[in-house]
Amino acid sequence: MEIQFDDNIKRARFPLLTWLTSRQAFWVSVAVILACIFLSFATNSFATSNNIFNVARNFTFVAIIALGMTIVIITGGIDLSVGSVLCLCSMILAVVMHAGYSIEVGIAASIGTALVIGAFNGILIAYLGFPPFVVTLGMLSIARSLAMVASNNTVVFQFGPDHDKLLALGGGAWLFGIANPVLYMIILALITGFVLRWTRFGRHIFAIGGNEHAAILTGVPVRPIKVAVYMISALSAGIAGIIQTGWLGAVTTNIGAGMELQVIAAAVIGGANLAGGVGTALGALIGAALIEVIRNSLGLLGINAFWQGAFIGAAIILAVMFERVRNFRQSE
């Protein structure tokens, strides 16, 4: 009782500090900062401008998709198809532009493909009652197969008359030397954060994840919102695919393979609860940043890259453990 009384006094005196330290994203941010400081002293190449530029640019693709994945997870769902959707959307963009169409037509075809896939997933899940895991796992296979069919399983590296425009879109740095993918990520994160925090749609998303049955009883249009959520998830993968195509300058049917695991890891590490009802846009970015710092540090420290999965898996377990401890303390 005395300990609880002391805790209440601390919360009253330092509300901002209490709020920060109760957020998983805060502790993940601390971990990222400490890792960066350690690597800056432990290696000669981490703190170089080129490496920082590459780290910032590399993690944006996972982060962009993690924004959409976080929204899905908040509703209590999951989307395992995002890596394959990225591949298919990238390939559609590449094939359309290779055929001589403009970049605008290619982007429209790519975005349209993503929205159709998201709607298909959402309808099966929301209206027909299919489990999200099963539907999106099936789409994982379907989308990558369609990418192989679209390209005849070949590498596409020539993008027609707007080839240079596409490379500038994904590989340029139009503002203050900041890589374009980073700018897109920041804009999308701000939009996502605004939607989740300040709109009725965002409140409905949290309501569905918190208690879907109660949300239905209070008049929340659960089914349409679920369809919209999976469309947003696929759209985020499509946008990331477009940007990554411009960055790489080529598309293969291996692009995005296994990416869904990194995306889910980023969302969970950033504080999204797989049971639903919890998640933030900022957390998705921070989780993606930690994963990229881990990946980058292994190479710089001379550690075998095969350990990457072990470190990321440990980070996921620690994140879930933190969530459990926090919930236990709040229930006392």
Side-chain angles (χ1 to χ4, degrees):
M1 181 66 70
E2 183 178 349
I3 295 175
Q4 185 177 1
F5 182 71
D6 291 341
D7 287 343
N8 290 334
I9 292 178
K10 291 178 182 178
R11 290 171 185 169
R13 290 181 177 177
F14 309 104
L16 179 59
L17 180 61
T18 301
W19 182 84
L20 281 175
T21 54
S22 66
R23 293 299 184 270
Q24 185 169 309
F26 170 77
W27 293 109
V28 177
S29 300
V30 171
V32 172
I33 293 171
L34 291 177
C36 291
I37 293 173
F38 169 76
L39 291 169
S40 297
F41 287 100
T43 69
N44 295 324
S45 53
F46 179 81
T48 62
S49 58
N50 286 339
N51 189 62
I52 296 298
F53 184 86
N54 288 332
V55 168
R57 184 172 58 180
N58 289 345
F59 93 87
T60 56
F61 306 115
V62 171
I64 288 172
I65 307 177
L67 292 170
M69 182 66 73
T70 296
I71 295 176
V72 171
I73 291 176
I74 290 173
T75 65
I78 198 75
D79 189 351
L80 300 177
S81 66
V82 289
S84 295
V85 172
L86 178 147
C87 176
L88 177 58
C89 292
S90 297
M91 194 60 75
I92 292 296
L93 171 68
V95 169
V96 169
M97 291 185 64
H98 180 73
Y101 293 95
S102 67
I103 187 173
E104 292 81 9
V105 173
I107 290 176
S110 182
I111 294 298
T113 299
L115 292 176
V116 169
I117 291 175
F120 180 81
N121 287 342
I123 289 171
L124 290 181
I125 293 166
Y127 287 93
L128 300 183
F130 285 30
F133 183 92
V134 174
V135 172
T136 57
L137 181 62
M139 184 54 69
L140 179 151
S141 180
I142 293 170
R144 193 164 296 276
S145 178
L146 291 176
M148 294 179 181
V149 172
S151 64
N152 198 25
N153 202 25
T154 58
V155 179
V156 181
F157 57 91
Q158 294 179 339
F159 305 118
D162 286 347
H163 179 95
D164 292 338
K165 289 183 180 180
L166 180 60
L167 298 188
L169 180 72
W174 294 335
L175 186 65
F176 304 123
I178 303 173
N180 285 347
V182 177
L183 295 177
Y184 306 145
M185 177 196 68
I186 293 172
I187 293 171
L188 292 171
L190 291 174
I191 294 172
T192 304
F194 176 81
V195 169
L196 290 176
R197 181 68 178 84
W198 300 106
T199 68
R200 178 181 296 180
F201 179 72
R203 291 191 294 273
H204 286 172
I205 289 173
F206 282 103
I208 293 171
N211 189 323
E212 184 173 332
H213 182 66
I216 294 173
L217 294 178
T218 55
V220 175
V222 172
R223 288 178 175 176
I225 288 177
K226 277 191 171 183
V227 174
V229 161
Y230 282 93
M231 291 178 71
I232 291 172
S233 178
L235 177 62
S236 67
I239 292 173
I242 293 168
I243 300 169
Q244 193 166 12
T245 301
W247 173 53
L248 294 174
V251 183
T252 71
T253 52
N254 290 327
I255 189 174
M259 200 172 191
E260 55 279 344
L261 300 180
Q262 297 182 49
V263 170
I264 294 171
V268 172
I269 291 171
N273 191 330
L274 289 172
V278 178
T280 64
L282 178 61
L285 302 193
I286 295 170
L290 180 61
I291 290 175
E292 177 57 27
V293 169
I294 290 173
R295 190 201 65 79
N296 185 261
S297 64
L298 294 181
L300 296 180
L301 295 174
I303 301 174
N304 193 317
F306 294 153
W307 282 101
Q308 178 178 332
F311 282 101
I312 294 174
I316 295 173
I317 293 173
L318 288 173
V320 174
M321 187 182 301
F322 177 87
E323 179 70 19
R324 289 285 183 266
V325 171
R326 188 181 66 176
N327 291 339
F328 177 75
R329 292 189 63 184
Q330 288 177 347
S331 65
E332 289 182 335

